Amino acid sequence: MNKQQYLRKLKRLLKALPKQERESAIQYYEEYFDDAGAENFQAVANELGTPDEVSRQILNNYLEKQNNAEKAVIPKKSHKKALIIWAIILTLWFTVPVALGLACCIIGVAVSIASVYIGIVAAGFVAVACGIVGMVASIIVATSDFSTGILALGLSLLSIGVGLLLLMLGIWLFKITLSGCKKLYKKLSEKHKEKKKDLLKKEPEIIYEGSFEQEAENNEKKY
Amino acid sequence: MTFQLGSSLLDACVLAVLDNGDTYGYYLTQQIKTVMEISESTLYPVLRRLQKNNYLITYDQPFQGRNRRYYSITASGKILLEDSRREWNDYKEKIDTILEGGNGE
């Protein structure tokens, strides 16, 4: 390997660095070889180590510097936190009235549906009750006027029948609504869980591999 | 060398060489190598770090048809060097107290 090949390989290995960092390193080593003298290239290259080793040392140092820089930036993060809290307050400020309105709407609809059901059930009760009273009354009427009594009896039985049907309808509607609510609740809670799972799946990305740290340790020992 | 060399001591040595006058990478490495066993590739990251922290600056000067990058110590580099010298003396005295058999008392 001659100087050009050595430097070209080093350049390729330093691809991960910003251009300015890379150029600076290449310039340093090119100069270094020049100052050592062309005839000493092989000796100097042996002293320096392979392009692999040299590049790792540069990259490690750059990463260390980056980490230190990130540590210094921490105060900015608390600034971000404050922003997030403000955003939450603002969104609550605007969404709470809307949410309250929606809740009132839902409660209103639920109450009106319930009242319809209660009405149906009540009507059924009344019809059955009327039928029973009517039966008693029609039996009394039948003793004096038989045909009118029978007619009244028939009407009373009809009333009882319709009342029973209404009662059944009311209970059935109530059951259906209840199970529907349950299903809706289940679906919503499942969706919520899935969202939580998705969040848990997203693990923080690893910035660099552990081997770099080991390398850094090795370099410390070399000093 | 039996004793391990910390990076802050190496920084101080580099700054001490530069305190005697501006110089370039190859010469600097040879200077440090006369007193320490370091790999030749150790010094570039050190110089780059010192430059980033404003302890030294660089400038290019033409030499035999190419550029040679010179390193020059800055004011804050001189302050760091003074601090390092003081700390090194404290450290040296403390170690001597133990190694030389308590002549520090």
Side-chain angles (χ1 to χ4, degrees):
Chain A
M1 195 168 7
N2 62 28
K3 186 185 94 179
Q4 291 310 323
Q5 285 167 326
Y6 189 101
L7 290 174
R8 216 175 305 139
K9 192 161 183 207
L10 184 61
K11 199 169 185 173
R12 207 173 52 239
L13 289 165
L14 294 177
K15 239 182 197 167
L17 287 180
K19 197 180 169 202
Q20 199 197 346
E21 284 293 321
R22 192 172 53 236
E23 305 270 293
S24 161
I26 298 297
Q27 193 196 336
Y28 177 89
Y29 281 107
E30 181 159 23
E31 245 180 65
Y32 198 91
F33 284 127
D34 289 344
D35 283 324
E39 66 282 3
N40 296 323
F41 170 76
Q42 207 46 57
V44 175
N46 288 343
E47 274 275 354
L48 283 174
T50 64
D52 234 354
E53 287 163 341
V54 171
S55 72
R56 251 177 286 163
Q57 209 157 15
I58 296 169
L59 286 170
N60 279 334
N61 201 264
Y62 184 74
L63 281 173
E64 255 172 58
K65 217 154 45 189
Q66 285 294 84
N67 284 345
N68 289 340
E70 268 168 32
K71 271 177 203 159
V73 175
I74 281 173
K76 262 194 183 170
K77 271 188 183 165
S78 65
H79 190 64
K80 253 188 193 171
K81 252 187 194 171
L83 261 180
I84 289 169
I85 289 169
W86 270 110
I88 290 171
I89 290 173
L90 273 176
T91 39
L92 281 180
W93 188 268
F94 287 113
T95 51
V96 162
V98 175
L100 270 177
L102 264 177
C104 286
C105 258
I106 289 168
I107 289 169
V109 168
V111 166
S112 55
I113 288 172
S115 57
V116 166
Y117 293 172
I118 288 167
I120 289 169
V121 171
F125 258 116
V126 170
V128 170
C130 281
I132 290 166
V133 173
M135 260 171 71
V136 175
S138 59
I139 288 166
I140 294 165
V141 170
T143 49
S144 53
D145 185 347
F146 184 72
S147 55
T148 313
I150 292 296
L151 179 66
L153 188 68
L155 284 173
S156 303
L157 282 171
L158 183 68
S159 172
I160 290 174
V162 170
L164 282 175
L165 277 176
L166 280 175
L167 271 177
M168 278 164 72
L169 176 72
I171 289 166
W172 180 70
L173 278 174
F174 191 69
K175 268 186 183 168
I176 278 187
T177 316
L178 211 67
S179 65
C181 282
K182 266 186 190 166
K183 270 183 193 168
L184 194 71
Y185 177 74
K186 249 189 187 173
K187 257 192 183 173
L188 284 178
S189 61
E190 265 172 19
K191 262 190 186 172
H192 192 67
K193 269 181 197 166
E194 271 172 19
K195 265 188 189 172
K196 265 192 180 171
K197 268 185 197 167
D198 283 349
L199 280 178
L200 284 177
K201 269 182 199 166
K202 277 184 194 166
E203 281 168 18
E205 283 171 38
I206 297 160
I207 298 169
Y208 57 87
E209 291 156 35
S211 58
F212 274 122
E213 281 170 335
Q214 231 178 348
E215 273 301 315
E217 264 181 38
N218 291 342
N219 288 335
E220 282 279 339
K221 279 173 197 162
K222 267 190 203 166
Y223 282 160
Chain B
M1 186 159 45
T2 330
F3 307 114
Q4 261 192 27
L5 188 61
S7 66
S8 47
L9 196 53
L10 185 57
D11 289 1
C13 290
V14 168
L15 289 175
V17 173
L18 291 179
D19 203 31
N20 289 330
D22 302 351
T23 186
Y24 53 95
Y26 182 77
Y27 183 78
L28 191 64
T29 307
Q30 301 312 314
Q31 285 282 302
I32 299 290
K33 269 185 79 181
T34 57
V35 291
M36 291 176 181
E37 272 176 41
I38 52 161
S39 145
E40 296 211 7
S41 56
T42 307
L43 231 47
Y44 173 73
V46 172
L47 286 168
R48 192 75 183 149
R49 189 180 61 235
L50 288 172
Q51 188 192 348
K52 277 273 156 90
N53 293 330
N54 294 322
Y55 294 127
L56 57 85
I57 52 165
T58 65
Y59 59 91
D60 292 344
Q61 228 170 44
F63 172 81
Q64 291 183 353
R66 61 183 173 86
N67 266 337
R68 200 182 240 172
R69 181 153 288 180
Y70 278 83
Y71 296 85
S72 176
I73 189 166
T74 62
S76 54
K78 282 180 195 247
I79 292 169
L80 179 68
L81 178 59
E82 272 317 301
D83 287 349
S84 301
R85 275 186 179 136
R86 211 172 15 252
E87 269 179 44
W88 171 249
N89 271 322
D90 284 355
Y91 183 70
K92 199 168 62 182
E93 273 169 29
K94 275 181 198 154
I95 299 295
D96 280 350
T97 330
I98 302 277
L99 285 185
E100 312 295 331
N103 60 358
E105 286 297 308

